């Protein structure tokens, strides 16, 4: 809901709705629950609590950013990165399905934006992603990520993320509540976990972009141990692990075939 954001790995935020349910330890001090929009709209957090769809005016913002994409590209030499649902979760099962279908339609109509979808519910990817998502050129500009706060959630969520074929797969490790090692997750092919693999044999979904030095450095270290700060916050740690060059650095606007269509549920 902001044309600009202080989140360092995104340019803008868009919230199609507000509200969520806490699902793990990383939700304990949820900033979204205490955010000004959530309090102003009186949106309660929790199971069976109604999610609140944002205004029609707000839903037009990404269309405006799409229109502005040539200017943005000229200024930044990359595409605008939109963090979607910073005050919610796109893959929340308690969201009205028609709202999510409206979101997929909006995403398909804005091919010159990179949409960053971060979730703590990767078990819902297959159920809630659009039909044919993996090979559909209308969704080649969607990044999928999971939040990881401890080893338990890393073990549960990263494997599910690596099964997806999005343009970019990423992690947000914030807040980190303890040490996390991802070594074994990248030593084994997610399709055959009994067979150790070398770096060259890693599945393509586990590899960062060639130009992403920070991500490659993390792959070499293959573990993260960042302590949570005393106030409950921590440095955000976002790692792109897979990417096609046109999605990460971005094609100039207009390189993607744009057609409006209804998105199948």
């Amino acid at each position: 809901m902001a044309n600009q954001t202080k989140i360092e790995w995104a340019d803008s935020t868009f919230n199609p709705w507000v509200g969520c349910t806490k699902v793990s330890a990383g939700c304990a001090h949820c900033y979204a629950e205490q955010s000004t929009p959530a309090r102003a709209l009186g949106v309660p957090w929790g199971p069976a609590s109604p999610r609140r769809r944002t205004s029609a005016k707000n839903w037009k913002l990404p269309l405006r950013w799409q229109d502005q994409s040539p200017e943005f590209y000229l200024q930044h030499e990359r595409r605008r990165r939109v963090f979607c649902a910073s005050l919610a979760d796109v893959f929340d099962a308690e969201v009205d399905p028609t709202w999510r279908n409206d979101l997929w339609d909006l995403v398909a109509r804005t091919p010159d934006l990179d949409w960053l979808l971060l979730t703590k519910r990767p078990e819902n990817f297959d159920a809630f992603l659009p039909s044919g998502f993996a090979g559909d050129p209308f969704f080649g500009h969607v990044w999928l990520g999971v939040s990881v706060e401890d080893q338990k959630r890393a073990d549960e969520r990263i494997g599910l993320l690596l099964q997806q074929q999005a343009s970019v797969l990423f992690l947000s490790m914030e807040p980190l509540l303890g040490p996390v090692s991802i070594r074994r997750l990248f030593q084994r092919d997610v399709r055959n976990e009994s067979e150790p693999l070398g770096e060259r044999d890693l599945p393509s979904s586990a590899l960062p972009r060639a130009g992403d030095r920070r991500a490659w450095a993390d792959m070499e270290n293959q573990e993260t141990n960042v302590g949570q700060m005393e106030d409950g916050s921590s440095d955000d740690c976002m790692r792109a692990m897979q990417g096609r060059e046109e999605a990460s650095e971005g094609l100039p606007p207009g390189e993607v075939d744009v057609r409006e269509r209804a998105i199948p549920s």
Side-chain angles (χ1 to χ4, degrees), residues 19-261:
C20 199
T21 297
K22 297 180 181 181
V23 295
S24 62
C27 301
H29 303 286
C30 178
Y31 75 89
E33 181 182 19
Q34 303 301 324
S35 68
T36 299
R39 288 186 282 109
L41 293 172
V43 179
W45 249 239
S49 296
R51 296 356 180 192
R52 180 72 64 86
R53 179 165 172 146
T54 55
S55 68
K57 180 180 179 180
N58 183 63
W59 276 72
K60 292 179 181 178
L61 279 176
L63 297 175
R64 184 193 307 167
W65 299 333
Q66 170 68 22
D67 292 340
Q68 296 169 347
S69 58
E71 292 82 3
F72 186 94
Y73 189 90
L74 287 174
Q75 181 179 354
H76 300 278
E77 297 185 346
R78 61 171 177 80
R79 298 143 61 90
R80 184 190 294 268
R81 295 171 184 167
V82 179
F83 177 24
C84 182
S86 60
L87 304 179
D89 191 320
V90 170
F91 300 96
D92 179 2
E94 297 184 61
V95 170
D96 186 331
T98 62
W99 297 0
R100 194 160 26 238
N101 289 340
D102 289 345
L103 175 62
W104 297 137
D105 180 65
L106 180 62
V107 170
R109 294 170 62 193
T110 52
D112 294 318
L113 307 179
D114 284 334
W115 287 81
L116 282 62
L117 309 184
L118 179 65
T119 185
K120 289 184 173 71
R121 298 168 171 85
E123 66 276 9
N124 292 337
F125 278 147
D126 292 339
F128 296 149
L129 283 169
S131 177
F133 171 82
D136 194 330
F138 283 90
F139 298 105
H141 53 305
V142 173
W143 301 18
L144 293 180
V146 295
S147 294
V148 171
E149 65 262 38
D150 54 30
Q151 190 65 56
K152 182 176 186 293
R153 303 306 174 182
D155 294 341
E156 291 175 356
R157 295 171 181 165
I158 294 177
L160 293 172
L161 177 66
L162 294 178
Q163 292 175 18
Q164 300 302 316
Q165 298 181 40
S167 295
V168 177
L169 303 177
F170 66 94
L171 303 179
S172 176
M173 306 180 77
E174 181 263 338
L176 270 177
L177 305 181
V180 173
S181 172
I182 58 175
R183 183 186 305 275
R184 64 181 176 275
L185 295 170
F186 292 103
Q187 286 179 327
R188 300 171 183 264
D189 188 329
V190 295
R191 296 164 296 183
N192 183 359
E193 294 192 355
S194 64
E195 182 179 350
L197 298 175
E199 180 179 295
R200 292 185 179 181
D201 298 319
L202 284 169
S204 60
S205 59
L207 296 176
R209 303 187 304 274
D212 192 337
R213 298 179 181 177
R214 184 176 178 185
W216 279 111
D218 290 337
M219 282 286 291
E220 292 173 0
N221 295 329
Q222 289 198 344
E223 64 181 79
T224 304
N225 186 356
V226 181
Q228 186 183 27
M229 298 179 183
E230 291 182 357
D231 62 358
S233 64
S234 71
D235 291 334
D236 183 78
C237 178
M238 181 172 177
R239 302 291 184 255
M241 297 188 295
Q242 175 211 17
R244 295 197 301 267
E245 198 66 28
E246 67 269 23
S248 56
E249 298 303 326
L251 286 171
E255 290 292 316
V256 180
D257 183 25
V258 183
R259 299 186 300 270
E260 291 191 11
R261 67 168 189 176

